């Protein structure tokens, strides 16, 4: 069974569209994260939730909105997609502040 | 703010040989965690090894070991008996010991490791 799963794995869409990426973890962890990996492979934190409460919100455009319906899920909704949003988005989870375990990533391509 | 630097964009090693990947970091904190993650072509981020700053003993995981030099703020990864499956991007990462907004991972730029048969 996959510990941290993301859907979809690949997402190709047009500029201006709205899309969502879903993340689920079955590890019982309290904290979940979204990271963005750009075309140069650089990884950077976007958001983090602890028990459904937002605790990290980096300088991310307002078009990105995370939602945590429960402790096991953290979804990422992106409005009005732009070319620069093309990247790989990783979800991760951790028990409190401990080691983070990553999902398989979602490759987003905006045309 | 903390920063992590990996000065080797690419490294290569012969199969069965040993290779060391470098990582330096900058922080004013005394307690923190350091990690090495591996990202093979499958894109999955896999934890390789972890080190707590308060522990003087270097962490080891089978063929993987670290050389943690706290005063020098250096955290290198040594891979012994390199195998073809070790080929990947390797990322060094820092995490504060503090919780809340500080528990994000700060990553280095990555080092692409090639294993030559």
């Amino acid at each position: 069974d996959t510990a941290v799963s993301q859907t979809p794995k690949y997402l190709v869409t047009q500029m201006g569209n709205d899309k969502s990426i879903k993340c689920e973890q079955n590890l019982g962890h309290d904290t979940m994260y979204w990271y963005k990996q750009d075309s140069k492979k650089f990884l950077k934190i976007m958001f983090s939730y602890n028990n459904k409460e937002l605790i990290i919100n980096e300088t991310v455009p307002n078009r990105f909105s995370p939602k945590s319906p429960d402790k096991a899920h953290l979804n990422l909704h992106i409005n009005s997609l732009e070319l620069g949003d093309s990247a790989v988005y990783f979800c991760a989870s951790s028990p409190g502040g401990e080691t983070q375990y990553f999902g398989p990533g979602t490759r987003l391509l905006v045309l | 703010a903390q920063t992590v630097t990996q000065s080797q964009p690419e490294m290569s090693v012969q199969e069965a040989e040993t290779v060391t990947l470098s990582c330096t970091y900058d922080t004013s904190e005394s307690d923190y965690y350091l990690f090495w993650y591996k990202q093979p072509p499958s894109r999955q981020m896999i934890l390789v090894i972890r080190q707590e700053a308060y522990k003087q003993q270097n962490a080891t995981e089978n063929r993987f070991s670290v050389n943690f030099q706290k005063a020098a703020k250096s955290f290198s990864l040594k891979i012994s008996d390199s195998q073809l499956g070790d080929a990947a991007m390797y990322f060094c990462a820092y995490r504060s010991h503090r919780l809340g907004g500080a528990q994000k991972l700060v990553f280095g730029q990555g080092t692409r490791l090639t294993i030559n048969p």
Side-chain angles (χ1 to χ4, degrees), chain B residues 2 26 28 30 47 55 59 63 68 79 90-91 94 109:
Chain B
Q2 294 85 14
D26 188 28
S28 59
S30 60
L47 176 69
K55 289 186 178 178
R63 296 182 296 107
F68 173 48
I79 306 174
Y90 285 81
F91 292 95
Y94 171 103
Q109 305 92 323

Side-chain angles (χ1 to χ4, degrees), chain A residues 14 37 44 57 71 102 104:
Chain A
Q14 299 289 328
Q37 186 174 40
K44 191 166 184 221
N57 185 351
K71 208 171 78 165
F102 284 78

